[in-house]
Amino acid sequence: MSSQTQIKALVTTEWIAEHAKDSGLRVVEVDVDPTNYEKGHIDGAVGWNWKKDLQDQLARDIAPKEALEQLLGKSGITPDTTIVVYGDNNNWFAAWFLWNLKYYGHKDARLMNGGRKKWIDEDRPLPKEPVTPPVGSFTAGEPNEKLRVYYDEVRASLPKVKAGSLKLVDVRGPKEFSGEVTAPPEYPTEHAQRGGHIPGAANIPWAQAVNDNGTFKSREELEKLYTGKGVTPNFPVITYCRIGERSSHTWFVLRHLLGYPNVRN
């Protein structure tokens, strides 16, 4: 991938191996399986539990602004810190956390291309000692609602979807999309409340955007994947899944790798 947008959004495992402990940079691991961090992680990386650290513990929502500020501050992160996120399952929850960072206005947040899988496949070091950086001070911005969309607006926008002037992308698997199952096969206990999909949505499973080694596919392959289903940059796009983590991965692809100007999660 060669565009400036892509260069800013992604870093390689090679780059992280050289810079992970640089001043002004913090590597963060966010996994589907939070126990992975203690099994071994990138030297200098902090590890966060997406259920305990990155969710509102009372409401079904992302972490409130104040909670995120405390979490980042105690990890030595300031508003000027470059944050590089990586994780398991092709950066599934890592992309979700990056979307959180952008929602709260953090300027420099990136993904490590290939995630935990590529780092391990390359036989790179995985120390087990937890990282405890000096405490810093983090102030989040106000939520950027241009990156997020809510139920009422989606429902009111269905005529636009039908007319083709708004694109909905359901990034779940085909059987979830059809309603045959209400949970992803790898997580059979995490059911949606109802089967099926929003009328007019295109089904483009999130994992189709990555190669077998966990890295993102080429720009040409990605463009073909989405434009082939009518998801083009000249129309607004809304991505969705069940709780927003898989759709964050597709949001990242469309917004930061392909440069679509109007993509909301």
Side-chain angles (χ1 to χ4, degrees):
M1 294 184 174
S2 60
S3 77
Q4 188 65 21
T5 299
Q6 294 158 346
I7 291 172
K8 289 181 179 178
L10 286 173
V11 299
T12 64
T13 52
E14 291 81 6
W15 190 89
I16 286 295
E18 294 178 9
H19 298 283
K21 301 179 79 172
D22 284 3
S23 175
L25 183 145
R26 176 64 59 207
V27 181
V28 179
E29 180 167 344
V30 182
D31 295 314
V32 179
D33 179 359
T35 66
N36 280 336
Y37 178 81
E38 61 194 46
K39 298 172 185 175
H41 51 81
I42 293 175
D43 194 14
V46 296
W48 294 337
N49 184 313
W50 68 271
K51 290 184 178 180
K52 295 179 180 179
D53 298 326
L54 301 175
Q55 281 191 339
D56 190 310
Q57 295 304 299
L58 295 177
R60 182 173 177 173
D61 203 349
I62 61 175
K65 178 181 175 182
E66 295 76 13
L68 188 73
E69 289 174 335
Q70 292 177 9
L71 177 67
L72 271 64
K74 74 178 184 181
S75 298
I77 294 172
T78 74
D80 296 322
T81 301
T82 295
I83 302 176
V84 177
V85 196
Y86 77 99
D88 60 0
N89 203 26
N90 299 331
N91 279 328
W92 184 350
F93 271 102
W96 176 72
F97 177 58
L98 187 142
W99 177 84
N100 278 254
L101 289 171
K102 290 298 183 181
Y103 178 67
Y104 283 116
H106 193 70
K107 294 180 181 179
D108 195 352
R110 314 179 191 189
L111 281 183
M112 186 181 78
N113 200 11
R116 184 178 173 89
K117 173 178 169 52
K118 191 169 190 290
W119 187 269
I120 292 174
D121 287 349
E122 293 170 347
D123 199 27
R124 297 187 183 275
L126 285 170
K128 295 182 180 180
E129 296 77 17
V131 175
T132 54
V135 174
S137 177
F138 187 88
T139 302
E142 292 303 314
N144 181 0
E145 298 299 347
K146 293 181 180 179
L147 303 184
R148 193 175 188 186
V149 64
Y150 299 85
Y151 165 81
D152 288 338
E153 183 179 348
V154 173
R155 185 169 183 176
S157 298
L158 291 182
K160 293 182 180 179
V161 177
K162 186 176 182 179
S165 59
L166 173 66
K167 305 298 181 179
L168 283 178
V169 181
D170 186 321
V171 312
R172 301 173 302 157
K175 290 186 177 180
E176 287 179 273
F177 183 78
S178 69
E180 184 177 344
V181 299
T182 56
E186 61 270 38
Y187 302 103
T189 62
E190 298 183 0
H191 289 275
Q193 291 176 303
R194 295 171 60 193
H197 59 270
I198 300 175
N203 185 212
I204 310 175
W206 70 280
Q208 291 184 2
V210 295
N211 297 302
D212 291 341
N213 68 354
T215 60
F216 289 101
K217 292 181 178 177
S218 69
R219 182 181 183 91
E220 292 73 21
E221 290 173 305
L222 293 173
E223 287 177 340
K224 183 177 180 181
L225 175 64
Y226 295 101
T227 60
K229 291 290 187 75
V231 181
T232 56
N234 55 314
F235 292 112
V237 181
I238 293 172
T239 62
Y240 78 91
C241 56
R242 189 183 59 85
I243 64 171
E245 80 296 358
R246 288 176 285 178
S247 54
S248 296
H249 191 278
T250 297
W251 169 86
F252 177 83
V253 171
L254 293 172
R255 181 70 190 94
H256 289 283
L257 301 188
L258 296 180
Y260 281 39
N262 187 348
V263 188
R264 290 185 289 170
N265 189 21

